[in-house]
Amino acid sequence: MSFHFEYPRTIAARRPGEFKPAAPKFHVRWQAPVTTIVSDYIAVQRQASDMAAERAFFQRMRRAFDSAYGPDSFEEMRQTDEAGMVNSIVVAYWTDIVRYALWKHVDSFNAWFRSTEREQEAVGYWRETLTVPYDRMETIFSEPYYHAGLARTRQAALEPMYTAGYFGAMRDRLPISAIDPLNSPYGETTPEGNYAGGPVRRVRVDVPPNVVSIRSGQVWQKAEGEQLDDYYQNLQPKLETGMAYLKEHPETTGYLSLRAIVHLDKDGQELRETSKHGYFLALAQLERWAAEHKSHLDIFKHALAMRRKYGADRQVVTWHEVFVLGTTPSLEYINCHPGTGLLRFANVWGNPPPSN
Amino acid sequence: MSFHFEYPRTIAARRPGEFKPAAPKFHVRWQAPVTTIVSDYIAVQRQASDMAAERAFFQRMRRAFDSAYGPDSFEEMRQTDEAGMVNSIVVAYWTDIVRYALWKHVDSFNAWFRSTEREQEAVGYWRETLTVPYDRMETIFSEPYYHAGLARTRQAALEPMYTAGYFGAMRDRLPISAIDPLNSPYGETTPEGNYAGGPVRRVRVDVPPNVVSIRSGQVWQKAEGEQLDDYYQNLQPKLETGMAYLKEHPETTGYLSLRAIVHLDKDGQELRETSKHGYFLALAQLERWAAEHKSHLDIFKHALAMRRKYGADRQVVTWHEVFVLGTTPSLEYINCHPGTGLLRFANVWGNPPPSN
């Protein structure tokens, strides 16, 4: 039997009455207890033309991960950002914080990353390490056959689940939501991130509790014919409209950062697979957008319509993993432009003490 | 009904068979859900003669804590360390990480503490912020009538419990121990902390997962006659012998740091109340000392003998709170001598990146 636990509720579930969707969705469950996971995003930021920097970086990361204490799984990806820079990203997952600590302790990559030599390079680097207790994460996959993100970790399986198909299901899937409203200390007032760079080339940003990390994926590798056409003509534009709305309305959506990421194969070729990785101030704001704004309702209705139309023959997979961060994320930027990730919040969250 | 949860066990409890102690001990339970607590140790390090530094510091902390987002409770204490310096310490507790974040955000104390001006002062400062999920903490009190530490937080009560009186009970009281062995990434090899100071006057130390924080308290405020004599003639020397042994054998006990702390009243007078606050590499090492070494067995047997002799008339209270730290402690030292707290491990755990 797979591992899971829930708290006795002191906060009502959002599920309306006895609502149950006609068909299941799927979520990650592990065959052994998992208390905390680590999702480590590490990237080189480079000129679009500098493919050599990407190749060298991915080779370095593959060597670093090829260790007894290396990650359960990792993925190589690419993102062109608003400043026109390309971020070549690996995201690696560990389901054991002790193994992660061992990896950081023994693998020379971590000393390399910390070295002041990085600050002298012509490229930038960043690292967003998310450490997430079990009760602060939830996943959903539209189909049981495609594994991405946490679903690729050791002893993970996709199991059917019915906490889906209504507004608030995302919150209901987070075990901690039974006893914690997951509010931001900022309420719903997104602070102004206007750090514009400074003399220090390596900057660490400490975000407040309950910031949401959402990685939302789309896979159309197997789609063909009218399902492929539908992806390009309907789903993809709707997703882009939704992302644009979130970015343009941070005061209501809690938008902090949002990356449109393309997944790569082993040779660096782009797959027909993407994910949007975003940070938001609070779950409540993301929920309001999802429940009320046309740009999400269009995505939601489209998913329902495709489900009705194709049933189990649906060739496009969508999934996400949501982490409501506690106090442990470690975000670090070296030589990056100030629009990178959460770096522009260095003016409000960026002043932990220097080290020896 | 008070809040509590347990995991379905995948690791056997240590309780031998159906063992149940004849009388209960007591532990902290809350009347509302508590997901994570913050225990924030903040101190000024000064010459013994410099009482003005202590008074100014405690006044500053009282003002800072007198806020809508201030701690549930705090205690003022004093410790003379191995270098002969006096550390005037406040420990403050929050049972809500959002309220703690608000306090850090709004109260000017935190900007004051971060200011580079602190590095120019004639005194030292340190801060050890422990952020602990519910499943990684446990408490035990010998009597139900005296509250200290977490027992003073909002909606906390001392409730009877029977997970006590056998070796391994400490581990069994930690909910996470049901599914996690709580090993150190260092195994049982305590790294050598030999940082001897350096040019940077503010140093941050990041400890590995599963380091144990134990605050073990003794209260003889109400003791008189033979119970008072027994405290000074028996319990106190046994405690000192035990502490000395732990310190002198770090390679087997996992000892990292141990402070003998005296509690103070509002006027700075010493109470008949102490606590020993220690950090150890791993729970297993502390357990082995407790189960096998004469210096702990003497303390343990003495407690049992006093219980038999005085029953409910026991006038000396002992208690502890144990946190098995995950990845979130934040330890910072400004102008402190290298023997302070965990500062001597700055050579192995002390190099997170500097900030802007």
Side-chain angles (χ1 to χ4, degrees):
Chain A
M1 219 186 64
S2 58
F3 172 75
H4 183 60
F5 76 90
E6 294 183 359
Y7 296 100
R9 277 196 175 278
T10 58
I11 297 174
R14 298 291 172 93
R15 187 192 296 271
E18 301 292 308
F19 175 83
K20 186 181 176 185
K25 301 287 188 183
F26 304 87
H27 59 189
V28 175
R29 285 290 183 263
W30 287 277
Q31 304 309 305
V34 167
T35 65
T36 308
I37 67 96
V38 177
S39 173
D40 206 359
Y41 288 83
I42 311 175
V44 61
Q45 183 175 85
R46 59 177 175 86
Q47 300 290 338
S49 59
D50 187 2
M51 287 301 294
E54 177 180 282
R55 279 193 297 272
F57 176 72
F58 285 156
Q59 279 170 17
R60 179 179 298 280
M61 296 316 304
R62 288 180 196 182
R63 281 197 305 271
F65 292 156
D66 183 17
S67 145
Y69 308 123
D72 293 30
S73 60
F74 66 95
E75 300 169 53
E76 295 172 346
M77 312 180 294
R78 194 180 287 147
Q79 173 229 3
T80 301
D81 66 28
E82 293 81 349
M85 298 295 283
V86 179
N87 299 269
S88 302
I89 307 168
V90 290
V91 57
Y93 293 85
W94 282 256
T95 48
D96 179 345
I97 55 172
V98 172
R99 218 174 67 243
Y100 180 69
L102 276 165
W103 179 71
K104 284 194 76 169
H105 178 54
V106 303
D107 196 90
S108 62
F109 166 75
N110 295 286
W112 177 88
F113 192 83
R114 277 199 312 255
S115 165
T116 54
E117 291 172 21
R118 300 292 77 67
E119 295 149 38
Q120 311 309 322
E121 289 200 34
V123 295
Y125 294 99
W126 54 264
R127 183 173 195 172
E128 296 173 353
T129 307
L130 313 180
T131 306
V132 190
Y134 183 87
D135 61 1
R136 287 177 166 268
M137 58 184 159
E138 65 87 11
T139 57
I140 185 170
F141 285 75
S142 67
E143 313 295 332
Y145 59 77
Y146 190 78
H147 288 213
L150 281 173
R152 294 185 184 181
T153 58
R154 291 184 193 176
Q155 303 202 63
L158 289 177
E159 296 186 356
M161 63 94 175
Y162 293 85
T163 306
Y166 61 92
F167 297 120
M170 177 169 70
R171 181 181 291 263
D172 285 356
R173 288 190 298 266
L174 291 157
I176 199 174
S177 71
I179 58 171
D180 190 322
L182 299 172
N183 295 326
S184 172
Y186 288 86
E188 299 198 357
T189 307
T190 313
E192 194 174 355
N194 54 17
Y195 176 75
V200 175
R201 307 193 74 185
R202 182 186 293 254
V203 178
R204 193 159 149 165
V205 177
D206 282 351
V207 299
N210 296 334
V211 160
V212 177
S213 162
I214 177 167
R215 183 178 175 208
S216 171
Q218 303 78 38
V219 192
W220 66 103
Q221 199 71 27
K222 291 184 174 178
E224 47 190 29
E226 68 176 22
Q227 290 204 47
L228 184 62
D229 292 346
D230 177 74
Y231 178 78
Y232 287 121
Q233 289 160 25
N234 288 303
L235 183 54
Q236 195 174 65
K238 286 180 204 299
L239 288 168
E240 283 168 9
T241 301
M243 285 187 65
Y245 182 85
L246 289 167
K247 283 189 182 189
E248 288 160 13
H249 299 84
E251 69 290 350
T252 53
T253 65
Y255 156 81
L256 303 174
S257 165
L258 193 50
R259 297 185 174 107
I261 293 171
V262 182
H263 294 219
L264 305 175
D265 71 10
K266 285 180 180 173
D267 302 316
Q269 298 298 309
E270 295 193 353
L271 294 167
R272 295 202 303 197
E273 177 171 4
T274 52
S275 45
K276 325 296 184 195
H277 181 220
Y279 295 103
F280 294 85
L281 186 68
L283 195 60
Q285 290 162 302
L286 200 54
E287 287 174 319
R288 190 170 317 124
W289 169 72
E292 296 178 7
H293 196 265
K294 183 177 183 305
S295 62
H296 182 262
L297 296 176
D298 282 352
I299 299 167
F300 187 68
K301 286 178 195 161
H302 180 264
L304 294 179
M306 292 302 104
R307 172 64 51 204
R308 274 194 300 274
K309 187 167 179 181
Y310 298 111
D313 297 325
R314 180 72 173 138
Q315 295 161 341
V316 174
V317 178
T318 57
W319 66 280
H320 78 218
E321 57 193 23
V322 164
F323 308 145
V324 181
L325 303 172
T327 54
T328 52
S330 165
L331 311 175
E332 191 182 341
Y333 304 90
I334 311 167
N335 298 343
C336 291
H337 68 78
T340 307
L342 294 171
L343 182 52
R344 68 192 168 89
F345 294 97
N347 61 313
V348 282
W349 300 329
N351 39 10
S355 69
N356 69 321
Chain B
M1 218 186 63
S2 59
F3 173 74
H4 183 60
F5 77 91
E6 293 182 0
Y7 296 99
R9 278 197 175 275
T10 57
I11 298 174
R14 299 290 172 93
R15 188 193 296 270
E18 301 291 308
F19 175 83
K20 188 180 175 186
K25 301 287 189 183
F26 304 87
H27 59 189
V28 176
R29 286 291 183 262
W30 287 277
Q31 303 309 305
V34 167
T35 65
T36 309
I37 66 96
V38 177
S39 174
D40 206 359
Y41 288 83
I42 311 175
V44 62
Q45 184 175 86
R46 58 175 177 88
Q47 300 290 338
S49 59
D50 187 3
M51 286 302 295
E54 177 180 284
R55 280 192 297 272
F57 176 72
F58 285 157
Q59 279 170 18
R60 179 179 297 280
M61 297 316 303
R62 289 181 195 181
R63 280 197 305 272
F65 291 156
D66 183 18
S67 144
Y69 307 123
D72 292 30
S73 61
F74 66 95
E75 300 168 53
E76 295 172 346
M77 310 179 298
R78 194 180 289 148
Q79 174 228 2
T80 300
D81 66 27
E82 292 82 348
M85 299 294 285
V86 179
N87 299 269
S88 302
I89 307 169
V90 289
V91 56
Y93 294 85
W94 282 257
T95 48
D96 178 346
I97 55 172
V98 172
R99 217 175 67 242
Y100 180 69
L102 276 164
W103 179 71
K104 284 194 76 166
H105 178 53
V106 303
D107 195 89
S108 62
F109 166 74
N110 295 286
W112 177 88
F113 191 83
R114 278 201 311 257
S115 165
T116 53
E117 291 172 20
R118 298 294 75 68
E119 296 150 37
Q120 311 310 321
E121 289 199 35
V123 294
Y125 294 99
W126 53 265
R127 184 173 193 173
E128 296 174 352
T129 307
L130 313 180
T131 306
V132 191
Y134 183 86
D135 61 0
R136 286 177 166 268
M137 58 184 159
E138 66 87 11
T139 57
I140 184 169
F141 285 74
S142 66
E143 313 295 332
Y145 59 77
Y146 191 78
H147 288 212
L150 281 173
R152 294 186 183 182
T153 58
R154 293 184 194 177
Q155 302 202 60
L158 288 177
E159 296 186 356
M161 64 92 175
Y162 292 86
T163 306
Y166 60 93
F167 297 121
M170 176 168 71
R171 180 181 291 263
D172 284 356
R173 289 190 297 266
L174 291 158
I176 198 172
S177 71
I179 58 171
D180 190 322
L182 299 171
N183 295 326
S184 172
Y186 289 86
E188 299 198 358
T189 307
T190 312
E192 195 176 354
N194 55 15
Y195 175 74
V200 175
R201 307 193 73 184
R202 183 186 293 254
V203 179
R204 193 157 147 165
V205 177
D206 283 351
V207 298
N210 296 333
V211 161
V212 177
S213 162
I214 176 167
R215 183 177 174 209
S216 170
Q218 303 79 36
V219 191
W220 65 102
Q221 199 71 31
K222 290 184 175 178
E224 48 191 30
E226 69 175 21
Q227 291 204 45
L228 183 61
D229 292 344
D230 177 74
Y231 178 77
Y232 287 121
Q233 289 161 24
N234 289 303
L235 183 54
Q236 195 174 66
K238 287 179 202 301
L239 288 167
E240 282 167 10
T241 302
M243 286 187 65
Y245 183 84
L246 289 166
K247 284 190 182 187
E248 287 160 15
H249 299 83
E251 68 290 351
T252 53
T253 65
Y255 156 80
L256 302 174
S257 165
L258 192 50
R259 296 185 174 106
I261 294 171
V262 181
H263 294 218
L264 305 175
D265 71 11
K266 286 181 180 172
D267 302 316
Q269 298 299 309
E270 296 193 353
L271 295 167
R272 295 203 303 196
E273 178 171 3
T274 52
S275 43
K276 323 296 184 194
H277 182 219
Y279 296 102
F280 293 85
L281 186 68
L283 194 60
Q285 290 162 301
L286 200 52
E287 287 174 318
R288 190 169 317 122
W289 169 73
E292 296 178 6
H293 197 265
K294 182 176 183 305
S295 62
H296 181 262
L297 296 177
D298 283 350
I299 298 168
F300 187 68
K301 287 177 196 161
H302 180 264
L304 295 179
M306 293 302 105
R307 170 64 51 205
R308 274 194 301 273
K309 185 166 180 182
Y310 298 111
D313 297 324
R314 180 75 173 134
Q315 295 161 341
V316 174
V317 179
T318 57
W319 65 280
H320 78 218
E321 58 195 21
V322 164
F323 308 146
V324 181
L325 302 171
T327 55
T328 52
S330 166
L331 311 176
E332 192 182 341
Y333 304 89
I334 311 167
N335 298 344
C336 291
H337 68 79
T340 307
L342 295 171
L343 181 54
R344 69 192 167 90
F345 294 96
N347 62 312
V348 282
W349 301 328
N351 39 10
S355 68
N356 69 318

